[in-house]
Amino acid sequence: MRAILLFLIFSIVLNVPAWAESQSEELHWPKEALIFVKFMLASSGKSEAEKIKAFDDAYRFLSAYWSKSNGAIVPSSLQEYVKFSDGNRELFLNLETELQSYREGNFRRFDILEARDPQVQAEIEAYRAKQAELAETYLDQALAAAQTSTPNFRSTPAFFVLQKLFSDWNQVRDQTPQLLASFPLEQIDQSTKLQVANAFEGIFSKVMQEIRSLGDMVGQSMATPDVPHIQASVETLFGEYFRNETDPAIKNMISGLLDDPGEDDNIKRMGIVLQYAAPNLLKLLQLIARQDGISPEAVEVLTKLEDEVQGASFYAIRQLLEAEIADMAEQGIHIDIDKIDPVALKAATIGQIHLGEVELSIPQEAILYDEDSGRLSQTNLVGPLKVVFRFTKPGSEQRAEEGREIMRIVARAMDNHPVLIAAAAPKAEPMVDALYEGIVNDMDIPGTSRRHQTGIEKYSFEELVSLPSGEKVRLVFKVPHLFYVGKSFTILEAVQGDKLSSVYDVEPTVAQAIANRMSFKWFYEAYFMSGFFHADLHPGNFMAKAVKDSIISVKRRVLPGRRNQSVPTYVINVLDFGMGGVAGFELRRGVFGMMVAAMAFDSKLLAQIAWRERLAEASEVQDEEEFRRRFFESIEAANRNATDKKAKVRLYINAVNESGITFDPIMAGLMRGTVINSLVANTVKQPTTFAGFVGRVLRRHPALLKSLLMSDDLLESEPRWVGIYDMARKARNKAACWLNLAKPDQ
């Protein structure tokens, strides 16, 4: 006897059989059994009435499932059998949304006939035998768990119900319709339904405890012991987060693991679980992924959080589209929902995109790249067009609020960790609200769209770049055209290409050139010109594609005149303006001044600028003397503990964070964007400091620094800027005008 339902859920906390490690095909639980289990999962921890209703809904689902057929399939391969038997189910980010879709009849079932090819049929039978073996592996443990929840479970009517429904793995699909007809829902009493639900609840309770402890288990293996403060940070972050995650979120995680039962590697299982975590954690992990001290296995999992996470179901997306069809039509934009790809092209922390088509009855002007002319040009768009729909994931607002509360608990634990205190690690608690504000900005579709339009203006440019080999390449940067701004989604120009890390794998020097030119443009705009900045320009938000070679005119080396030369050309689209903003001149000058003061180890000036730039009404400390007391205590500790100049700069900046003052969210976003640029530089193996980034700008525009930094603070400070001289030399004298800081009288 194989009581399938009882041990489906139990499988996620046990090791899979040895044969599973060598499986080349994807292994699935039977769809109907899996969905029955999910109804029971949703009812776990709820009232008796809700448990009974969940059982009734699950039973009705089975009846509806077996009364419906979307056609007969004669599989031509094992892969086709898996696809149409158990692998064609839509995946959901939210368990309750998934079950609601089943209640409404949103599922498909095919009658799978015997394969004509005997070899294919033999492979199918072998696959089903492995499913049975997987089931049998967990049978004893699952029944033991049920026995703990309900004494003498094997002698109860509940066991009889499950036995009747799922008595034999290989024959269940032939027998289930007859069993349902001979054992109708009306014949099952309330106590039996409760016994079934409670048996599941006993198992789910154990699994939820396992998920909550998974953070401690995996946190230890995600960081390498050679960087103790990183290891302590990661262990505390994962451990505290999962201990304090909400029960509905844990259920979503269990549901996700049920959809992928064959994965037994703890870090990869964590990768599945993380897709259901709050966006606050995911945004932080994207930053951590590229820090020194993270294991290669963890880096592989964490970098996927940028744009390879589970998206919301198309069932939920369709509802968003249907609500705005009339609004789009008023703007001359017409869509056919059935022509939109139900599978997300890319799903990130907050948003996801789907390919589709629009018909324009009102022309729109756009800046596009014309391969024939090899230039960016203004174009009138008409007729049917390929586009992408960018949606904010339903439920993101609530998850961000929940995540903020959880991250506050996490931050307090990290800030009190002895290893992190000894390492003078930056305080985590001040970052919690800044991270949340960034996520809120990301979900602000009108605000995101305004930043996107500004990005089209600021980040559309062309560069002819010489590679280290001497070869020239032409880089064309642009931002996709924005067709429509709605309440819950936008419609954008469809673009193609690879993210920056993928370009680096094939053409490392080209990827380095792309990163260099974009970081130059970013710093030029963010710190020296308009103050506009993209705060989340990670490698996944570059979409680079090689296009037809451009023809350029170059000067002849020997003979007079010019000649035409063909050069490789890449079009780089800059994506996702969810996080960003415009920093005012005074704010930029404050950030820059603090960075310069920290790098010069001028604690008096650093304190002066930090106090002036604080957000007074939001700061914990309101008295300047108390601020200075805290600040200079931290500076004394920094001077004692710093092991090198780089560490000392970090500790000086950290002293500001520990002094009880809060800064404008725009300032936090600007700092985040600065850090992200450093991570991009690391991705293409060109580590760059703040001084290095600034130096690139000043090499072209040396007068800019003087106009930005000659504030009263610097003019009135003592002319003893040895640190500035050192920094200028490190930047290879790209910032010669920095020397003027020591000569305020000139």
Side-chain angles (χ1 to χ4, degrees):
M1 296 294 181
R2 297 179 175 88
I4 304 301
L5 285 178
L6 289 175
F7 52 76
L8 291 182
I9 187 68
F10 204 77
S11 65
I12 70 173
V13 295
L14 300 175
N15 292 324
V16 297
W19 57 261
E21 298 177 2
S22 60
Q23 282 301 102
S24 59
E25 70 268 12
E26 190 175 0
L27 188 65
H28 295 271
W29 298 113
K31 187 192 307 179
E32 65 275 25
L34 176 59
I35 295 173
F36 191 102
V37 169
K38 290 196 174 190
F39 275 104
M40 296 295 97
L41 170 61
S43 73
S44 178
K46 295 186 177 180
S47 67
E48 291 186 355
E50 289 173 301
K51 291 176 182 177
I52 291 171
K53 184 181 183 302
F55 182 95
D56 290 347
D57 286 347
Y59 208 91
R60 290 190 185 102
F61 163 77
L62 287 177
S63 298
Y65 182 84
W66 283 103
S67 65
K68 176 180 179 179
S69 175
N70 292 97
I73 299 293
V74 178
S76 60
S77 65
L78 173 61
Q79 290 72 23
E80 189 173 23
Y81 168 82
V82 171
K83 174 183 176 181
F84 286 101
S85 61
D86 301 312
N88 68 330
R89 187 175 56 80
E90 184 177 9
L91 298 180
F92 286 74
L93 196 59
N94 182 279
L95 176 61
E96 292 294 344
T97 303
E98 179 176 6
L99 299 184
Q100 182 58 35
S101 77
Y102 298 142
R103 293 186 188 101
E104 295 176 5
N106 289 295
F107 54 83
R108 307 179 76 195
R109 186 186 71 81
F110 295 90
D111 294 316
I112 311 294
L113 306 180
E114 185 171 328
R116 294 190 179 94
D117 186 335
Q119 178 61 35
V120 171
Q121 186 60 32
E123 292 176 358
I124 292 172
E125 294 300 331
Y127 175 83
R128 294 181 68 171
K130 289 174 181 177
Q131 287 182 306
E133 184 181 344
L134 177 62
E136 193 165 356
T137 302
Y138 304 121
L139 176 59
D140 292 339
Q141 296 94 329
L143 290 179
Q147 190 79 9
T148 301
S149 174
T150 305
N152 303 315
F153 182 79
R154 286 179 180 271
S155 62
T156 64
F159 179 74
F160 175 74
V161 170
L162 296 177
Q163 177 183 334
K164 277 289 185 183
L165 286 175
F166 301 96
S167 59
D168 188 288
W169 185 276
N170 289 311
Q171 299 177 22
V172 60
R173 292 180 170 174
D174 299 326
Q175 296 178 354
T176 301
Q178 292 81 6
L179 289 171
L180 288 169
S182 64
F183 202 58
L185 182 62
E186 294 75 17
Q187 293 185 13
I188 306 176
D189 59 43
Q190 306 290 68
S191 62
T192 297
K193 296 173 185 178
L194 274 177
Q195 284 180 335
V196 172
N198 288 334
F200 277 106
E201 187 174 56
I203 301 171
F204 292 138
S205 177
K206 180 174 181 178
V207 176
M208 291 180 78
Q209 292 175 9
E210 183 77 10
I211 293 289
R212 293 194 183 282
S213 65
L214 192 61
D216 290 317
M217 185 190 316
V218 176
Q220 296 172 4
S221 56
M222 279 196 158
T224 56
D226 54 322
V227 188
H229 72 277
I230 293 294
Q231 186 176 40
S233 296
V234 172
E235 289 181 10
T236 307
L237 173 62
F238 278 97
E240 290 296 327
Y241 180 87
F242 283 98
R243 272 192 291 275
N244 292 282
E245 179 60 284
T246 66
D247 285 348
I250 295 291
K251 288 183 180 181
N252 289 336
M253 294 171 183
I254 294 173
S255 178
L257 287 169
L258 281 170
D259 290 330
D260 191 2
E263 184 57 69
D264 67 330
D265 180 85
N266 277 335
I267 290 183
K268 290 182 178 178
R269 290 202 308 167
M270 177 61 80
I272 296 172
V273 164
L274 285 173
Q275 299 185 55
Y276 302 85
N280 318 57
L281 176 66
L282 302 188
K283 288 290 187 184
L284 183 59
L285 291 177
Q286 291 171 22
L287 296 175
I288 290 176
R290 292 180 172 83
Q291 297 293 322
D292 294 337
I294 303 298
S295 70
E297 298 82 6
V299 169
E300 180 183 356
V301 169
L302 297 182
T303 52
K304 289 182 178 180
L305 300 177
E306 293 172 356
D307 58 5
E308 296 182 36
V309 299
Q310 177 64 45
S313 65
F314 197 69
Y315 168 82
I317 294 300
R318 177 181 287 274
Q319 294 173 343
L320 302 179
L321 290 165
E322 290 173 344
E324 298 197 36
I325 284 181
D327 292 340
M328 286 185 281
E330 287 182 4
Q331 299 181 36
I333 300 171
H334 310 277
I335 68 167
D336 181 347
I337 296 179
D338 291 332
K339 290 185 178 180
I340 299 174
D341 191 339
V343 179
L345 178 66
K346 184 174 80 167
T349 307
I350 299 296
Q352 63 190 72
I353 61 174
H354 293 252
L355 286 172
E357 291 183 6
V358 296
E359 181 81 35
L360 297 182
S361 57
I362 301 175
Q364 294 192 15
E365 287 189 351
I367 297 176
L368 303 179
Y369 179 74
D370 181 10
E371 285 204 33
D372 292 332
S373 66
R375 292 288 182 270
L376 292 173
S377 60
Q378 195 85 15
T379 306
N380 274 332
L381 298 176
V382 294
L385 296 165
K386 296 290 186 183
V387 297
V388 293
F389 294 76
R390 184 187 186 276
F391 300 90
T392 297
K393 292 181 181 178
S396 294
E397 297 88 348
Q398 180 181 343
R399 290 298 288 138
E401 291 174 2
E402 293 169 349
R404 176 171 58 172
E405 298 309 311
I406 298 170
M407 293 304 294
R408 282 174 174 162
I409 298 172
V410 172
R412 285 194 289 271
M414 294 178 71
D415 291 344
N416 291 305
H417 196 293
V419 173
L420 300 180
I421 292 173
K427 291 293 184 182
E429 195 161 6
M431 296 188 294
V432 173
D433 285 337
L435 191 61
Y436 173 75
E437 291 297 331
I439 292 169
V440 169
N441 287 338
D442 201 352
M443 294 185 289
D444 174 17
I445 290 180
T448 297
S449 300
R450 287 192 295 271
R451 290 188 290 273
H452 188 103
Q453 291 287 22
T454 305
I456 291 175
E457 175 190 348
K458 302 298 183 183
Y459 293 162
S460 296
F461 64 99
E462 305 172 25
E463 294 272 357
L464 186 64
V465 179
S466 294
L467 302 180
S469 64
E471 179 187 14
K472 293 183 182 297
V473 295
R474 188 159 167 271
L475 305 179
V476 180
F477 291 86
K478 63 182 286 292
V479 175
H481 176 65
L482 182 61
F483 289 93
Y484 172 77
V485 179
K487 299 179 183 67
S488 53
F489 63 91
T490 54
I491 303 178
L492 302 158
E493 169 196 355
V495 297
Q496 296 180 323
D498 298 311
K499 61 183 182 180
L500 191 62
S501 54
S502 299
V503 176
Y504 180 81
D505 292 338
V506 180
E507 295 282 357
T509 56
V510 172
Q512 290 170 346
I514 291 171
N516 287 341
R517 300 319 302 152
M518 193 61 224
S519 65
F520 170 87
K521 187 67 172 178
W522 191 93
F523 270 84
Y524 179 72
E525 284 295 337
Y527 280 98
F528 297 102
M529 299 302 290
S530 66
F532 173 74
F533 63 94
H534 187 312
D536 199 25
L537 199 55
H538 58 69
N541 280 334
F542 290 82
M543 190 70 75
K545 180 186 178 184
V547 296
K548 185 172 68 175
D549 288 0
S550 299
I551 304 299
I552 62 171
S553 176
V554 297
K555 186 177 180 181
R556 296 182 184 275
R557 292 185 177 180
V558 180
L559 299 176
R562 305 183 70 84
R563 63 181 177 85
N564 289 337
Q565 178 180 331
S566 176
V567 296
T569 302
Y570 293 82
V571 175
I572 303 97
N573 278 280
V574 181
L575 310 176
D576 194 359
F577 288 80
M579 301 179 75
V582 178
F585 180 79
E586 292 299 327
L587 187 148
R588 284 180 276 149
R589 190 165 64 176
V591 172
F592 209 115
M594 284 192 286
M595 294 296 294
V596 170
M599 288 185 283
F601 308 128
D602 190 330
S603 58
K604 292 181 180 179
L605 180 59
L606 181 56
Q608 181 180 343
I609 297 175
W611 180 254
R612 185 193 69 201
E613 296 298 331
R614 79 196 188 286
L615 199 60
E617 62 274 15
S619 294
E620 172 195 347
V621 173
Q622 297 293 322
D623 179 69
E624 185 174 3
E625 290 303 316
E626 173 62 16
F627 157 74
R628 288 182 172 276
R629 183 188 67 77
R630 293 190 185 189
F631 174 80
F632 285 108
E633 281 182 0
S634 297
I635 289 295
E636 290 177 7
N639 291 332
R640 289 194 306 269
N641 298 330
T643 56
D644 54 42
K645 287 186 177 181
K646 183 177 179 180
K648 190 173 181 179
V649 170
R650 177 171 58 82
L651 293 175
Y652 266 56
I653 294 295
N654 189 41
V656 175
N657 294 331
E658 294 179 341
S659 60
I661 59 175
T662 301
F663 296 101
D664 190 304
I666 289 292
M667 180 179 286
L670 181 60
M671 296 303 296
R672 173 188 167 86
T674 304
V675 172
I676 291 287
N677 269 275
S678 298
L679 296 180
V680 169
N682 289 337
T683 298
V684 296
K685 304 298 187 291
Q686 284 193 321
T688 308
T689 64
F690 181 83
F693 283 124
V694 172
R696 292 174 185 172
V697 177
L698 296 175
R699 182 170 60 181
R700 287 193 178 188
H701 308 284
L704 288 176
L705 184 66
K706 183 175 181 179
S707 66
L708 180 65
L709 282 189
M710 295 303 279
S711 64
D712 292 341
D713 302 297
L714 299 179
L715 289 172
E716 294 172 2
S717 64
E718 297 181 22
R720 51 180 180 79
W721 288 82
V722 177
I724 295 294
Y725 290 102
D726 291 341
M727 191 167 55
R729 282 196 294 272
K730 288 180 181 178
R732 299 178 184 177
N733 296 316
K734 297 173 186 176
C737 65
W738 289 8
L739 303 180
N740 290 335
L741 292 171
K743 304 173 184 178
D745 56 322
Q746 293 184 0

